[in-house]
């Protein structure tokens, strides 16, 4: 049997630096089939990259594609893309990508990652799961019984835009937390370049660079406080930290969790587990597959995905 005949719904994750595609394969295995770089501000190049990834023989026959998008959509489905990072501001991406033989379901990445982790990842089995994604930006999504809370304006994910808590650092005047604690903020503050490689900052900190250490500690402090606040607001069974930086930099995630616990004065909230995303770099495209499945109930999801979900007992 051709793989594509088993994968009715496949997934694409469009992130700030790269675009990845994959499917849920035999026994619920997550199979990533390819990665392409994101082209800053060039919508046509990014559309072409998505179609190139979907031409992979394992994905080619799929009639439905779940797309995780590293921005949000308004109530009418138009992408917000506020800095025109992808060249798609105001665009209906599902419409733009649609072909004669393919439908697209576009989901905000925070929601896709949250659903992926809640159904088949690090918080599977939990009724109420809070997911925080930390990478190019910062966002969160709360999932209850498999259903993501999306809000009145499809923007119940905007924790990155909340005002920073009072800290003791000199000259801390960022307008919102994402400007301090995201990968782009850390890169900008140390390298002077938003699109710089955040790993260079962590490397410098490891070899004793005081400035790099201060930037990372300050970033971890603000993110930890933010997560503590979210834990008090949502009272989840578990918290999962995902995203490129959230899963890639263990020391950062661990420090963030430590700061969060240190700020929680409510005892039972302090005991809520804070975990690393279990699906790693695949949570967004895998979650987009699961969301697309919910929205395309007339289409069959692959037997393997069904097996995986029912095994996990997470069918909403
Ligand atoms: Zn500060």
């Amino acid at each position: 049997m051709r793989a594509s005949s088993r994968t009715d719904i496949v997934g694409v994750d469009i992130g700030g630096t790269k675009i990845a595609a994959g499917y849920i394969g035999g026994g619920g295995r997550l199979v990533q089939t390819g990665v392409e770089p994101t082209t800053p501000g060039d919508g046509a190049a990014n559309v072409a990259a998505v179609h190139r990834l979907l031409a992979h023989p394992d994905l080619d026959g799929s009639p439905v594609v779940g797309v995780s998008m590293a921005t949000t959509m308004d109530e009418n489905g138009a992408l917000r893309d506020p800095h025109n990072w992808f060249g798609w501001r105001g665009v209906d991406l599902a419409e733009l990508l649609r072909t004669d033989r393919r439908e697209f379901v576009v989901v905000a990445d925070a929601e896709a990652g949250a659903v992926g982790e809640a159904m088949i990842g690090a918080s599977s089995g939990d009724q109420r799961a809070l997911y925080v994604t930390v990478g190019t930006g910062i966002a969160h999504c709360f999932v209850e019984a498999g259903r993501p809370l999306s809000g009145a304006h499809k923007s119940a994910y905007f924790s990155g835009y909340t005002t920073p808590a009072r800290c003791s650092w000199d000259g801390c005047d960022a307008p919102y937390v994402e400007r301090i604690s995201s990968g782009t903020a850390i890169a900008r503050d140390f390298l002077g370049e938003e699109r710089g490689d955040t790993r260079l900052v962590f490397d410098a900190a490891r070899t004793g660079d005081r400035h790099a250490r201060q930037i990372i500690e300050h970033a971890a402090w603000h993110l930890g406080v933010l997560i503590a606040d979210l834990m008090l607001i949502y009272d989840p069974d578990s918290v999962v930290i995902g995203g490129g930086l959230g899963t890639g930099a263990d020391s950062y995630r661990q420090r963030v969790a430590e700061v969060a616990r240190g700020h929680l004065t409510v005892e039972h909230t302090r005991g809520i587990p804070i975990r690393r995303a279990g699906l790693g770099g695949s949570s967004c495209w895998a979650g987009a597959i699961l969301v697309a499945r919910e929205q395309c109930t007339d289409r069959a999801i692959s037997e393997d995905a069904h097996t995986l979900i029912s095994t996990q007992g997470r069918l909403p």
Side-chain angles (χ1 to χ4, degrees):
M1 193 196 310
R2 262 165 52 84
S4 55
S5 64
R6 291 190 286 106
T7 51
D8 303 316
I9 304 179
V10 300
V12 172
D13 174 16
I14 303 175
T17 55
K18 59 182 170 32
I19 305 173
Y23 66 96
I24 301 176
R29 207 167 31 98
L30 299 183
V31 183
Q32 185 166 301
T33 51
V35 180
E36 295 257 354
T38 304
T39 307
D42 189 340
N46 292 323
V47 167
V50 170
H51 288 306
R52 263 197 312 279
L53 286 165
L54 291 172
H56 187 282
D58 286 352
L59 310 181
D60 199 33
S62 64
V64 178
V65 182
V67 178
S68 166
M69 188 63 221
T71 180
T72 58
M73 282 139 282
D74 67 17
E75 307 89 299
N76 304 313
L79 288 188
R80 289 198 171 95
D81 193 7
H83 309 294
N84 209 33
W85 190 282
F86 303 95
W88 288 332
R89 189 191 299 169
V91 160
D92 181 337
L93 187 60
E95 200 53 47
L96 182 69
L97 291 172
R98 189 152 68 147
T99 66
D100 289 345
R101 56 195 189 90
R102 262 191 174 132
E103 302 277 341
F104 290 77
V105 174
V106 183
V107 192
D109 63 344
E111 183 176 321
V115 170
E117 289 295 329
M119 293 183 72
I120 58 175
S123 51
S124 70
D126 291 338
Q127 275 295 298
R128 297 159 209 86
L130 174 65
Y131 176 77
V132 180
T133 175
V134 188
T136 309
I138 292 174
H140 76 283
C141 180
F142 179 68
V143 179
E144 183 156 16
R147 305 256 171 225
L149 179 72
S150 56
H153 306 91
K154 294 183 109 180
S155 65
Y157 325 114
F158 281 5
S159 45
Y161 294 137
T162 55
T163 309
R166 185 180 64 239
C167 79
S168 60
W169 267 265
D170 282 339
C172 176
D173 58 359
Y176 46 88
V177 176
E178 190 176 277
R179 293 283 286 270
I180 306 169
S181 307
S182 63
T184 44
I186 291 171
R188 186 202 57 228
D189 288 350
F190 186 71
L191 306 166
E193 167 54 54
E194 273 203 348
R195 291 178 193 263
D197 188 344
T198 310
R199 282 173 298 191
L200 298 175
V201 193
F202 283 87
D203 289 347
R206 249 191 308 277
T207 55
D209 187 296
R210 201 162 155 263
H211 185 46
R213 284 186 175 184
Q214 280 174 342
I215 287 168
I216 291 167
E217 173 59 17
H218 183 221
W221 188 89
H222 277 285
L223 183 55
V225 172
L226 173 63
I227 289 177
D229 288 344
L230 291 172
M231 290 165 78
L232 289 166
I233 292 166
Y234 289 108
D235 186 21
D237 290 304
S238 61
V239 180
V240 171
I241 300 180
L245 183 58
T247 56
D250 289 343
S251 61
Y252 186 59
R253 188 185 59 259
Q254 284 155 6
R255 180 65 187 135
V256 164
E258 198 175 88
V259 171
R261 280 191 213 299
H263 280 82
L264 286 165
T265 51
V266 177
E267 199 180 331
H268 67 256
T269 307
R270 206 162 45 231
I272 295 170
I274 301 175
R275 303 177 182 133
R276 179 184 191 273
L279 308 178
S282 305
S283 35
C284 286
W285 63 253
I289 291 174
L290 299 170
V291 173
R293 163 186 154 273
E294 279 298 295
Q295 292 184 17
C296 303
T297 44
D298 58 329
R299 292 178 192 276
I301 190 173
S302 76
E303 283 301 312
D304 294 323
H306 260 313
T307 306
L308 173 67
I309 293 162
S310 53
T311 305
Q312 302 275 353
R314 299 296 303 149
L315 264 175

